[in-house]
Amino acid sequence: MATKTANVLARVEPDIKAKAEGIMAQLGVPASVVINMLYKQIIMTKSIPFSLSVSNSFQTLDEMNEEEFELMMQKGLTDAKAGNSRSAKSVFNDLRQEFAE
């Protein structure tokens, strides 16, 4: 005899869980139904049904026109001349610390 349900165990931040469950309660939809809906969408679309991307807060060179590139370079030169810069070692240390958290 096949089982009708299976358990899903997931760790969620307590405040996130409380906020989401509050919204689900207002909608009258239990968490198990939402999880089941998510799983069905994953099966139907063979993907996560929402965008998972890292947004770039900067433009790549390919996305810039010549004027935007010149402005960026001029700003960099102005900042460097004014002493508004950091060493590469300092930047990499900050990145390592950020990713370690």
Side-chain angles (χ1 to χ4, degrees):
M1 179 177 196
T3 59
K4 291 189 175 205
T5 62
N7 293 327
V8 174
L9 176 65
R11 295 187 182 275
V12 180
E13 296 172 30
D15 61 323
I16 298 296
K17 180 180 182 285
K19 288 176 184 175
E21 286 179 349
I23 294 167
M24 288 183 282
Q26 289 176 345
L27 295 169
V29 181
S32 59
V33 171
V34 172
I35 293 168
N36 206 36
M37 289 167 42
L38 172 63
Y39 276 38
K40 286 180 180 183
Q41 282 294 308
I42 291 170
I43 293 165
M44 286 175 27
T45 63
K46 293 184 175 35
S47 67
I48 303 297
F50 45 83
S51 176
L52 295 176
S53 64
V54 177
S55 77
N56 289 330
S57 59
F58 62 91
Q59 287 181 303
T60 64
L61 289 177
D62 292 337
E63 297 168 332
M64 290 182 194
N65 62 36
E66 189 173 337
E67 182 180 344
E68 291 169 325
F69 177 76
E70 290 297 327
L71 285 171
M72 180 190 68
M73 295 304 289
Q74 186 58 49
K75 182 183 180 318
L77 180 59
T78 301
D79 285 347
K81 286 181 178 178
N84 298 330
S85 61
R86 296 174 51 199
S87 70
K89 181 178 181 179
S90 170
V91 172
F92 282 115
N93 284 339
D94 285 353
L95 287 171
R96 282 187 199 97
Q97 184 177 6
E98 185 177 322
F99 285 106
E101 293 175 351

